[in-house]
Amino acid sequence: MNQFDWTIGVTGLNATDNPGPGISVIRSLRAHPGFKGKIIGLTYHYMDPGLYASDLIDSAYLIPLPSEGIQSLRQRLEYIKKRTDLSLLIPTLDSEISGFISLEPELRGIGIRLFLPTQQQFDIRSKVHLAEVCEKANLDFPRTRIVSDIESLCQVSMEIPFPYMLKGIFYGATLVNTMDEASMAFHRTTAQWGLPVIIQEFLIGEEYDVLAVGDGEGGIVGGLPMKKTSLTEKGKGWAGVVVKDPKFLAMAETFCRMTKWRGPFEMEVLKTKEERYFLLEINPRFPAWTYLCVGAGQNLPVAVAQLAMGMEPAPLPEFKAGTMFVRISLEQVVKIDRLEEIISKGEIHYR
Amino acid sequence: MDTALLNRLKDIAISDSGFIFDPYSGATFNTNETGRFILQLLKEGNGIDAIQSEIRKHFKTSEEDLRSDIYEFINLLMEAQLLPKSFQC
């Protein structure tokens, strides 16, 4: 059994009812029998629940928001590197990936490794460009338009019949039934995530997600498809089951072959009753349900850590269809001095 | 029965209590003892005549309804997408 003692930084500790993937990634790393390293939680807000998961993280640091620019992030990471000997980083939030891609050469220079796509690969899979990729790869994709102003929104509403999905550039999707609803959703979404918004044909079918890791050379290191079996009011998966349908993984393989994707990604697919598979989105990171891959036999976060450190991961076994997850919410009991520590010092140390 | 369909059927998990899991779609169902028995026979590649004869051996049934009951169950499996619409046996 390979042992590894790296100090690994993980972001996305916002384990709320719309959870960030960080905790799931950390649990996966810790689940590996060879893991002897340390986990550093990196987070943007002192109330992110993962900060207080003392059984999962060794230390945690507040980091500057992406809006503060990559140089302040670089300075903060240099500081953390000095304090912790951080050897690799797994960013897990859409909005921060681009900044980490830009910083990768500098971080490598100070001994912090990442395993991320190139900026070009990152842009290709964005909601704005994904339709082009699908067309080239011969993958089904819902009719999509990119909209930056209300006038265009009205125009598009004549082309794509109601109801349709209005999506933010990074997050958020609203089903709109009328022009009034579309206009409200447009303003709400752009206020939160900026321009443009994505208008997408509404299709009826069952939602599946695929988690896979691209090796950066056109292949995939591993991957598994999952069907959401229970959703929250926000439409987030609260339970799911690993499925066997080979078409899902074939879609992920096609995407990696086309783009030479490097790193983890989550593919959202809608399967219609007519057995058509529509690619809805590609998220450039681990999903919040990542820990399911460990239960299904493929520890993909460990594979990413190994790739980041220049190691070739051992071939992963076939995933076990029928493995399911059901999320739980629980209360963490925290001493008030922990809150003081993070607010006053911007860091917490458990071990 | 073609090989692809047979493999697909073989993958369907059925528990002793009649709980069915379709690993392709992730869907789950419940069936009774007779349903479980028929699905098991389909998984083994049996056609309608063999299924009819096996049911006669294992269950007390009225002969006149048996064939139509089996077809009705097969239709349910098609509805549940456990069998393709084109399925014939």
Side-chain angles (χ1 to χ4, degrees), chain A residues 240-260:
Chain A
V241 62
V242 178
V243 297
K244 191 173 183 174
D245 188 338
K247 286 189 182 153
F248 294 113
L249 220 50
M251 289 173 81
E253 282 166 351
T254 302
F255 172 72
C256 279
R257 200 167 46 245
M258 269 207 64
T259 60
K260 294 193 165 38

Side-chain angles (χ1 to χ4, degrees), chain B residues 19-88:
Chain B
F19 181 77
I20 300 169
F21 172 65
D22 177 8
Y24 283 81
S25 67
T28 55
F29 309 91
N30 272 307
T31 187
N32 61 17
E33 197 187 345
T34 323
R36 185 170 64 86
F37 191 74
I38 295 173
L39 189 50
Q40 192 56 48
L41 290 168
L42 285 167
K43 276 162 69 82
E44 289 162 12
N46 292 287
I48 185 85
D49 292 336
I51 294 172
Q52 202 170 344
S53 143
E54 285 300 311
I55 288 182
R56 251 189 244 118
K57 278 188 221 161
H58 290 84
F59 299 92
K60 276 187 191 166
T61 55
S62 112
E63 193 59 36
E64 57 200 68
D65 294 336
L66 181 56
R67 206 170 177 88
S68 64
D69 285 350
I70 296 169
Y71 275 121
E72 196 181 327
F73 183 70
I74 287 172
N75 276 332
L76 281 174
L77 295 177
M78 288 180 187
E79 284 293 310
Q81 296 185 323
L82 291 167
L83 289 174
K85 291 278 182 208
S86 56
F87 176 77
Q88 286 181 327

